[in-house]
């Protein structure tokens, strides 16, 4: 039992170090030796948990998927019970992320650019996009959008655009502008049903 607890703690330290490094420097900009150094584990410990860097990257992205969707959902819920307001309020998660550590862009956009097509990391990136769009489509449908899938795609583009522009410009105003655009989009898509 102690081995399992130790293994879990080591794995968490590895993933925490990898997350910080990958987020700040990109997937290609980080070597396994850096992850070992920052996590404080032995090379053999890292390889006991992750046989390849690709496995480590994929697990980092899976965890980021869960975490980021939870952050978007929490921001949406803070906006209140009205799904129309939630579709706009979810942008507060982007502002929160900027306030925590600045804009390093979207880890999934970065992974899509850096990972080889057909790789496990690229597949996880595609899964994240599908998860997010499913959630946005459900929220758009609850908001009464005439074409929920279309509104979800538009909101998704605003999220990606705000994260990308935020990285480029290092200006949190891009999130406020995306949030304003989302409010107009939601109103237009919901008005179409009335």
């Amino acid at each position: 039992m102690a081995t399992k607890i130790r293994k879990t703690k080591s794995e968490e330290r590895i993933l925490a170090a990898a997350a910080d490094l990958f987020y700040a420097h990109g997937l290609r900009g980080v070597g396994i030796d850096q992850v070992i150094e920052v996590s404080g584990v032995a090379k053999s410990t890292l390889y006991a948990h992750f046989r390849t860097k690709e496995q480590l990257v994929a697990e980092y992205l899976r965890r980021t998927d869960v975490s980021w969707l939870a952050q978007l959902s929490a921001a949406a819920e803070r906006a209140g019970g009205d799904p129309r307001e939630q579709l706009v309020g979810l942008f507060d998660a982007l502002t929160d992320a900027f306030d925590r550590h600045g804009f390093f862009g979207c880890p999934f956009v970065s992974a899509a650019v850096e990972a080889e097509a057909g790789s496990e990391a690229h597949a996880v990136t595609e899964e994240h996009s599908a998860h997010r769009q499913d959630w946005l489509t459900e929220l758009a449908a609850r908001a009464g959008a005439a074409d929920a899938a279309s509104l979800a795609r538009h909101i998704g583009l605003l999220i990606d655009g705000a994260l990308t522009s935020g990285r480029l410009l290092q200006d949190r105003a891009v999130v406020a502008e995306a949030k304003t655009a989302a409010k107009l989009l939601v109103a237009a898509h919901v008005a179409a049903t009335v």
Side-chain angles (χ1 to χ4, degrees), residues 91 132-133 136 151-162:
F91 284 86
R132 187 188 70 185
Q133 289 310 110
L136 288 171
L151 177 56
R153 284 190 302 275
H154 291 148
I155 296 291
L157 288 169
L158 286 173
I159 292 168
D160 292 340

Side-chain angles (χ1 to χ4, degrees), residues 23-25 101-107 110 163 166-167 170:
Y23 189 68
H25 305 290
H101 41 65
F103 273 131
F104 288 99
C106 175
S110 296
L163 289 169
R167 167 72 182 204
Q170 290 298 305

Side-chain angles (χ1 to χ4, degrees), residues 26-37:
L27 304 180
R28 292 184 184 161
V30 176
I32 288 295
D33 289 339
Q34 289 172 285
V35 176
I36 290 167
E37 181 181 336

Side-chain angles (χ1 to χ4, degrees), residues 14-164:
I14 293 165
L15 285 165
D20 290 345
L21 290 166
F22 291 148
Y23 189 68
H25 305 290
L27 304 180
R28 292 184 184 161
V30 176
I32 288 295
D33 289 339
Q34 289 172 285
V35 176
I36 290 167
E37 181 181 336
V38 172
S39 67
V41 301
K43 186 178 272 193
S44 61
T45 301
L46 183 134
Y47 284 113
H49 293 286
F50 304 100
R51 290 181 34 228
T52 65
K53 181 180 174 184
E54 184 174 345
Q55 286 180 343
L56 176 60
V57 168
E59 185 59 25
Y60 150 71
L61 290 169
R62 282 187 194 93
R63 287 178 177 230
T64 302
D65 173 50
V66 171
S67 173
W68 183 233
L69 290 176
Q71 291 171 55
L72 289 170
S73 180
E77 289 174 16
R78 285 193 309 268
D82 185 340
R84 293 171 296 185
E85 293 299 320
Q86 291 177 349
L87 283 164
V88 175
L90 65 84
F91 284 86
D92 292 341
L94 281 70
T95 303
D96 295 344
F98 179 80
D99 291 344
R100 271 193 312 277
H101 41 65
F103 273 131
F104 288 99
C106 175
F108 298 100
V109 171
S110 296
V113 170
E114 292 186 61
E116 297 280 333
S119 68
E120 188 177 4
H122 201 273
V124 174
T125 297
E126 290 173 347
E127 290 166 14
H128 164 74
S129 182
H131 295 157
R132 187 188 70 185
Q133 289 310 110
D134 289 346
W135 174 68
L136 288 171
T137 301
E138 178 187 319
L139 196 53
R142 286 192 286 128
D147 184 346
S150 177
L151 177 56
R153 284 190 302 275
H154 291 148
I155 296 291
L157 288 169
L158 286 173
I159 292 168
D160 292 340
L163 289 169
T164 303

Side-chain angles (χ1 to χ4, degrees), residues 1-11 49:
M1 183 71 164
T3 303
K4 186 174 185 178
I5 292 170
R6 195 173 313 117
K7 181 177 178 181
T8 301
K9 287 181 180 177
S10 295
E11 184 177 27
H49 293 286

